[in-house]
Amino acid sequence: VANKTQEDGGIHFPFPYTPYSIQKDFMAELYRVLEAGKIGIFESPTGTGKSLSLICGALSWLRDFEQKKHQEEARLLETGTVPLSDGKDQPPFLSSSCKETPDPLRPAGEPDWVTQFVQKKEERDLVDRLKEEQVRRKKREERLQQIRHNAQLKYAAKRMRQEEEETERLLHLSKEMLAEGTGTEPLEQLVCGEEELILAEYESDEEKGAARGADEEEEEDLEEEHVTKIYYCSRTHSQLAQFVHEVQRSPFGKDIRLVSLGSRQNLCINEDVRNLGSAQLINDRCMEMQRSKHEKSRAEDEKPKRRRQEQQAACPFHSYEQLQLLRDEVLVGVKDIEQLVTLGKEARACPYYGSRFAIPAAQLVVLPYQMLLHAATRQAAGIRLQGQVVVIDEAHNLIDTITGIHSAEVSGSQLCQAHSQLLQYMERYGKRLKAKNLMYIKQILYLLEQFVTVLGGNIKQNPNTQSLSQTGTELKTINDFLFQSRIDNINLFKVQRYCEKSMVSRKLFGFTERYGMVLAASREQPRLAGFQHFLQSLQPALTETPVPRGEEEETGAPRPASPLMHIEGFLAALTTANRDGRVILNRQGSLSQSSLKFLLLNPAMHFAQVVKECRAVVIAGGTMQPVSDFREQLLAHAGAEAERVVEFSCGHVIPPDNILPLVICSGPSSQELEFTYQKRELPQMMDEMGRILCNLCNVVPGGVVCFFPSYEYQRQVHAHWDKSGLLARLALRKKIFQEPKRANQVEQVLLEYSRCIKCCGQAGGTVTGALLLSVVGGKMSEGINFSDNLGRCVVMVGMPYPNIKSPELQEKMAYLDQTLPRIPGQPPPGKALVENLCMKAVNQSIGRAIRHQKDFASIVLLDQRYARPPILGKLPAWIRDRVEVKATFGPAFAAMRKVSPALPCPL
């Protein structure tokens, strides 16, 4: 399709086809938000081309921004002067290297000639930096052009790498021959491979110098100044891949410098590391290999005293030349994660680090939620938000995502297992460890013991056989938990830092994983037998029938990470401010089933840096209603002024007659429909619901999707209908499917559901399609596409309120009541939270239908509470404006019958 350029208010928006009017409005408003540095909440229903609107709107702004920047730079370089005052009047488009920070120590009453001299020097320095940046940009553009048009460069670099690898291999063999027989005896005899398990000498940040190796300097050379860019993030790998493909097909696809970021688990091409399975283990091993690489040059001239050098070899896919080539290859053309991995294998260069080094020069960076929303991950990836644009797509669950990322839970079984492993580790290697390592290990052991004690258990006994005298759920503030656990005198910040730097959990995992081989190879370790027996008692299913390493890898099941890795996350969470989190003590029948959970109450604290540093933030989704949660819980608490927040919601592209939203207040026998927790299990309520569905299935062709508030209620209703005969009546018109609880069965059920509808549409007969019984918040309420015949009618049974008795929800409600202002005429913030959670779930479920311009469907809300204006106001505008409230079933059924003959599918 030929590209078309649309103009709105003098702004040119290249587009692959003639856009809908709502797409033009979307792009124009997005452009204004980015230009003015606002925070935009954008709602555009699925099927309205939201992704393309985001791409073309945002990249059009970036195009114009860069053009203005280059024009202004040229003007400043031509005149040789830059307006300077207090630093605030500097041109906003200058990159961070060119911005001058005013000197706060300059005396206020200094002579004019001194002030003029300093100001002239600052002007000259700034012009020099502008020139340097211009030179760097030209070099980068020339380099990318060469790669784009000269494939011989790539092959020449590949040949050079192969020659270097062969030389290095021969050199390594020569060193082995020279070093043979020159090793010194270790402190005591260790089993082959155990050296790598011993913790290196630990120095705190205060004690460390700023020494850097040559390799570190090389990696810094790879980094360029960060240009103004757009960070686009979404929830899932498939959503990110789909967005990248949209960019490739857009008018910007050939020229944009796009980088796809992912985890090491997705991008690693070192098979030995990939086979570790667990994401945490892959991360730790990769960092170990980089550390080994930096230490290699210092160890080359020393005598090979240990075999450790061989076993912790540097990664062969991480070197300056390889990463430099891959970085430039990444920037030359738009690639998704799979294409990036393929390119990395061809170039024998690490895609994880190659993509990371491409971030500074990239114009569009595509990455998953967690990488942007978690500060430590963001920093590790080299993401700088200062002055940049962030677009968060599929953001309807953004608050829950931030809360989930920063919450942590550990079981009694994990606490006992980590304690036993660490204790045995210390006993075996204690004489080889430095004093600081021993001190921190003893602190961690004490923490683990106190955590078990506060749950009511004994660290020295098997958690599976320990019965707790006190059961139930207890909720504590962070400080109260620390005092009750008697750990308030331990600096958790230092312990957390030690865990990160020493990689103690990685060493511990290697120790326990190697333990079976240790026993077989040595007879002088009888005290370790108790440890092995203890591990067997914790995991009988795993140890009674051990799986050989090769078979384990073939199954593809990731190997379990060390329990200490999970506990490190809990320790980090305990460093949160006291008012912003709670600790939940969940005591069950046995210690192994009990747990400690950290609950984050204020997700805004982790979003504040994004709001503060970014030039503009866009929060987008298909169903963003109700938006009050974003405004009050997230943005206001994160420091965003009310006037900076802009809302944009567009209608759907379908004609008004293509959707029929109905609120039905009573059924065929005049039974009032109010599926509260107290009433919904009454036989008459379940019978009335069944009669309504029978009537709907008689007139609706194709597929009907019915959402229930929970799996348990769906099971109860299905059993009741089976007993009463209603299920058989339904089966006369629709084949009945149920949503499975197991995720691996969902695809098969959907396939059979789709196949049934297709066959019924072709064959005719009394069975006109299928009925799918689904669950709100389940596998099919989000991300599943029920377009066309798959979803001609979506039914919502009742209102899926969350469990009001949940201690977590009650604490969250109390927190909001205390921290948010009460708005006159509105429910308290805590109660509003419950309503909003319910309606977000409803909006996600009913949004499964109507997926494109020519689609059509009816949406039936079975509960009279939907007729209340505050509830109707929380529906998406394109549905809310067309809702018909029917007090009785007759008029509702007549409306359905009136629409049905116009449907092009056979009844």
Side-chain angles (χ1 to χ4, degrees):
V1 181
N3 292 339
K4 301 192 176 182
T5 300
Q6 301 300 316
E7 188 166 329
D8 190 291
I11 304 166
H12 297 280
F13 295 108
F15 216 76
Y17 55 82
T18 303
Y20 305 128
S21 60
I22 60 173
Q23 289 179 308
K24 294 179 184 178
D25 296 340
F26 187 108
M27 291 187 291
E29 185 63 24
L30 177 62
Y31 193 104
R32 285 190 285 269
V33 165
L34 302 187
E35 183 68 16
K38 303 276 189 179
I39 298 173
I41 303 174
F42 282 74
E43 182 180 55
S44 181
T46 304
T48 56
K50 169 170 60 70
S51 295
L52 262 179
S53 300
L54 281 170
I55 291 165
C56 296
L59 294 183
S60 293
W61 171 83
L62 186 61
R63 171 205 63 203
D64 294 348
F65 178 86
E66 289 180 344
Q67 187 177 0
K68 290 176 194 171
K69 174 184 174 180
H70 295 159
Q71 289 172 351
E72 187 66 13
E73 277 182 2
R75 187 186 66 78
L76 292 174
L77 291 172
E78 186 179 348
T79 60
T81 59
V82 179
L84 288 170
S85 57
D86 60 356
K88 293 181 181 178
D89 296 333
Q90 295 176 29
F93 50 76
L94 295 183
S95 66
S96 56
S97 68
C98 293
K99 289 193 176 180
E100 185 72 33
T101 304
D103 185 359
L105 302 178
R106 190 180 300 164
E110 63 185 10
D112 290 345
W113 69 269
V114 174
T115 304
Q116 291 172 3
F117 175 80
V118 171
Q119 190 168 351
K120 287 289 184 185
K121 183 178 184 304
E122 289 174 351
E123 288 180 5
R124 288 195 300 271
D125 290 345
L126 191 49
V127 169
D128 289 343
R129 281 193 290 274
L130 274 173
K131 290 178 180 176
E132 288 173 9
E133 183 174 303
Q134 195 174 55
V135 169
R136 280 198 303 268
R137 185 171 65 246
K138 286 181 179 178
K139 282 184 178 179
R140 182 185 66 232
E141 290 170 356
E142 289 171 2
R143 193 173 66 242
L144 297 184
Q145 279 295 105
Q146 277 187 320
I147 292 176
R148 192 175 278 117
H149 299 297
N150 191 354
Q152 289 181 354
L153 286 174
K154 188 199 302 187
Y155 297 122
K158 190 173 182 179
R159 281 198 306 273
M160 184 179 71
R161 284 197 311 276
Q162 290 171 343
E163 290 171 5
E164 287 176 351
E165 287 169 9
E166 180 65 16
T167 303
E168 189 175 340
R169 187 181 70 83
L170 293 172
L171 185 62
H172 183 68
L173 287 172
S174 301
K175 285 182 178 179
E176 278 187 338
M177 292 172 65
L178 289 171
E180 193 172 342
T182 61
T184 59
E185 286 297 315
L187 185 64
E188 63 179 90
Q189 189 64 39
L190 291 179
V191 175
C192 174
E194 274 195 286
E195 281 285 358
E196 69 179 41
L197 302 178
I198 299 175
L199 289 161
E201 183 172 358
Y202 178 71
E203 292 180 304
S204 64
D205 289 343
E206 293 85 352
E207 298 167 322
K208 279 188 179 177
R212 292 179 179 177
D215 287 324
E216 287 172 300
E217 291 173 3
E218 279 184 352
E219 287 179 8
E220 286 185 0
D221 290 341
L222 277 170
E223 287 214 20
E224 302 179 39
E225 185 55 44
H226 284 240
V227 302
T228 300
K229 61 176 60 48
I230 296 166
Y231 287 101
Y232 171 91
C233 61
S234 192
R235 288 187 314 111
T236 66
H237 177 70
S238 61
Q239 287 168 342
L240 293 171
Q242 185 178 350
F243 179 82
V244 171
H245 296 156
E246 289 275 12
V247 174
Q248 288 172 331
R249 291 192 293 265
S250 77
F252 297 89
K254 291 182 179 179
D255 300 320
I256 192 74
R257 299 191 301 276
L258 180 147
V259 175
S260 295
L261 299 184
S263 65
R264 286 181 174 89
Q265 198 171 23
N266 287 328
L267 290 173
C268 179
I269 57 174
N270 187 325
E271 289 302 322
D272 292 337
V273 178
R274 284 181 61 85
N275 288 338
L276 292 171
S278 161
Q280 185 65 51
L281 295 178
I282 291 173
N283 289 343
D284 288 347
R285 177 61 61 84
C286 177
M287 287 186 284
E288 270 187 0
M289 296 177 89
Q290 304 319 311
R291 191 174 299 175
S292 174
K293 174 189 173 186
H294 298 318
E295 293 170 354
K296 186 178 178 182
S297 58
R298 292 196 295 269
E300 277 182 351
D301 298 330
E302 298 178 6
K303 291 184 178 181
K305 293 180 283 186
R306 297 179 176 180
R307 296 185 183 181
R308 187 174 185 177
Q309 295 294 332
E310 299 173 20
Q311 294 172 4
Q312 291 197 358
C315 181
F317 302 102
H318 189 283
S319 74
Y320 177 76
E321 291 83 5
Q322 292 167 323
L323 292 175
Q324 189 178 43
L325 175 66
L326 185 61
R327 175 198 65 185
D328 293 342
E329 285 284 349
V330 166
L331 294 171
V332 164
V334 176
K335 299 169 187 68
D336 63 16
I337 291 290
E338 283 76 15
Q339 292 166 330
L340 184 58
V341 169
T342 301
L343 184 64
K345 288 177 179 177
E346 290 176 357
R348 290 188 56 77
C350 175
Y352 176 79
Y353 284 102
S355 59
R356 199 171 81 168
F357 291 137
I359 292 174
Q363 297 166 302
L364 179 59
V365 179
V366 179
L367 68 166
Y369 269 5
Q370 289 79 356
M371 197 172 285
L372 183 102
L373 299 174
H374 191 265
T377 308
R378 195 165 62 230
Q379 184 178 0
I383 295 168
R384 300 179 191 173
L385 297 180
Q386 189 68 48
Q388 309 294 12
V389 172
V390 164
V391 177
I392 303 173
D393 202 1
E394 302 297 333
H396 55 273
N397 60 352
L398 178 60
I399 295 174
D400 292 339
T401 300
I402 298 173
T403 301
I405 290 172
H406 297 92
S407 295
E409 184 172 15
V410 292
S411 68
S413 179
Q414 288 173 325
L415 292 169
C416 289
Q417 197 172 356
H419 184 276
S420 179
Q421 290 176 2
L422 195 56
L423 186 63
Q424 295 289 339
Y425 178 90
M426 187 179 71
E427 288 179 356
R428 173 142 182 86
Y429 304 123
K431 292 181 180 179
R432 292 173 163 268
L433 299 177
K434 300 295 183 182
K436 275 231 165 128
N437 278 317
L438 285 173
M439 179 194 76
Y440 278 112
I441 288 176
K442 287 178 180 179
Q443 281 192 342
I444 296 170
L445 286 170
Y446 177 75
L447 289 170
L448 296 172
E449 184 175 352
Q450 293 307 110
F451 289 158
V452 170
T453 302
V454 82
L455 282 173
N458 188 330
I459 198 73
K460 297 178 182 178
Q461 297 176 11
N462 189 326
N464 291 323
T465 58
Q466 285 191 62
S467 298
L468 303 184
S469 57
Q470 180 185 354
T471 59
T473 302
E474 189 180 0
L475 200 139
K476 299 274 185 185
T477 66
I478 297 173
N479 286 346
D480 286 347
F481 174 76
L482 297 179
F483 283 120
Q484 185 178 343
S485 304
R486 298 181 182 179
I487 60 173
D488 53 294
N489 60 332
I490 292 180
N491 189 327
L492 293 178
F493 290 94
K494 285 191 173 181
V495 174
Q496 178 196 358
R497 190 70 176 160
Y498 171 76
C499 290
E500 287 178 7
K501 292 294 184 181
S502 69
M503 301 173 74
V504 60
S505 59
R506 176 70 189 94
K507 305 290 185 182
L508 194 58
F509 178 82
F511 170 65
T512 55
E513 188 186 42
R514 190 183 297 272
Y515 186 69
M517 290 182 282
V518 172
L519 270 185
S522 176
R523 297 179 180 178
E524 56 184 26
Q525 303 158 356
R527 50 186 181 167
L528 291 181
F531 172 52
Q532 187 186 47
H533 178 73
F534 180 75
L535 289 183
Q536 287 178 341
S537 70
L538 291 177
Q539 296 179 314
L542 292 177
T543 52
E544 287 171 10
T545 55
V547 180
R549 176 67 53 88
E551 293 180 22
E552 183 184 271
E553 289 172 0
E554 286 177 11
T555 62
R559 286 144 64 193
S562 161
L564 188 58
M565 292 179 184
H566 296 284
I567 294 162
E568 285 176 4
F570 181 71
L571 290 174
L574 291 179
T575 61
T576 304
N578 184 59
R579 66 182 180 277
D580 292 328
R582 298 291 183 269
V583 179
I584 300 170
L585 289 76
N586 183 21
R587 300 185 179 95
Q588 300 295 325
S590 68
L591 176 60
S592 63
Q593 295 173 327
S594 302
S595 65
L596 298 173
K597 180 176 181 179
F598 174 80
L599 172 66
L600 179 69
L601 294 177
N602 180 20
M605 64 177 287
H606 294 288
F607 199 63
Q609 190 177 10
V610 178
V611 169
K612 180 182 177 182
E613 293 187 359
C614 289
R615 172 195 176 96
V617 179
V618 175
I619 303 171
T623 50
M624 298 297 290
Q625 293 292 335
V627 297
S628 57
D629 283 358
F630 295 102
R631 277 186 168 274
E632 296 162 11
Q633 289 184 47
L634 194 63
L635 298 178
H637 268 208
E641 302 85 358
E643 58 271 16
R644 192 185 172 196
V645 181
V646 175
E647 290 180 32
F648 176 85
S649 180
C650 63
H652 214 295
V653 293
I654 59 170
D657 293 338
N658 280 31
I659 182 173
L660 177 63
L662 294 174
V663 174
I664 301 180
C665 301
S666 61
S669 65
S670 300
Q671 171 71 48
E672 283 191 351
L673 301 178
E674 191 167 344
F675 292 91
T676 60
Y677 191 77
Q678 295 79 13
K679 296 179 182 179
R680 68 188 190 187
E681 294 179 14
L682 296 173
Q684 58 266 34
M685 291 295 290
M686 292 189 280
D687 288 339
E688 196 76 339
M689 184 205 318
R691 284 189 284 267
I692 293 172
L693 276 178
C694 282
N695 280 281
L696 294 180
C697 289
N698 280 334
V699 297
V700 175
V704 176
V705 184
C706 182
F707 285 101
F708 291 84
S710 69
Y711 282 103
E712 177 59 24
Y713 186 55
Q714 184 218 59
R715 188 195 62 77
Q716 289 179 354
V717 170
H718 189 274
H720 179 78
W721 287 349
D722 191 25
K723 189 176 179 180
S724 67
L726 269 167
L727 207 60
R729 285 178 56 192
L730 284 167
L732 293 175
R733 298 293 271 176
K734 304 288 183 186
K735 185 174 179 180
I736 299 169
F737 295 86
Q738 285 182 274
E739 177 178 328
K741 272 194 172 183
R742 294 185 179 178
N744 59 359
Q745 297 175 344
V746 170
E747 190 173 343
Q748 183 61 32
V749 172
L750 286 173
L751 187 64
E752 292 175 6
Y753 171 76
S754 175
R755 190 180 295 144
C756 174
I757 291 171
K758 186 177 180 181
C759 292
C760 291
Q762 293 172 348
T766 57
V767 179
T768 61
L771 169 64
L772 179 59
L773 306 180
S774 301
V775 177
V776 176
K779 318 291 185 303
M780 298 181 181
S781 64
E782 191 171 330
I784 302 295
N785 186 348
F786 291 113
S787 63
D788 302 314
N789 273 354
L790 297 182
R792 289 305 181 202
C793 179
V794 175
V795 180
M796 177 65 61
V797 176
M799 298 187 68
Y801 282 106
N803 181 10
I804 197 69
K805 295 181 181 179
S806 161
E808 297 180 29
L809 181 58
Q810 288 182 345
E811 194 66 23
K812 181 75 173 177
M813 292 170 65
Y815 176 81
L816 293 179
D817 286 338
Q818 293 168 8
T819 56
L820 292 182
R822 176 78 183 270
I823 302 173
Q826 297 291 325
K831 186 179 179 183
L833 168 70
V834 175
E835 282 190 356
N836 289 347
L837 288 173
C838 170
M839 292 309 296
K840 280 183 183 294
V842 169
N843 292 339
Q844 278 303 303
S845 298
I846 62 180
R848 298 309 91 212
I850 309 287
R851 311 297 286 184
H852 57 84
Q853 185 184 19
K854 296 181 181 179
D855 208 352
F856 53 88
S858 54
I859 296 171
V860 179
L861 306 175
L862 297 183
D863 200 303
Q864 62 182 2
R865 291 174 291 176
Y866 283 111
R868 299 172 186 170
I871 299 298
L872 282 176
K874 296 179 189 293
L875 290 170
W878 65 279
I879 295 177
R880 180 177 65 235
D881 296 341
R882 303 173 189 178
V883 167
E884 298 179 23
V885 177
K886 304 296 183 182
T888 58
F889 183 72
F893 188 63
M896 294 288 293
R897 287 182 63 105
K898 183 179 179 182
V899 173
S900 293
L903 301 181
C905 302
L907 292 175

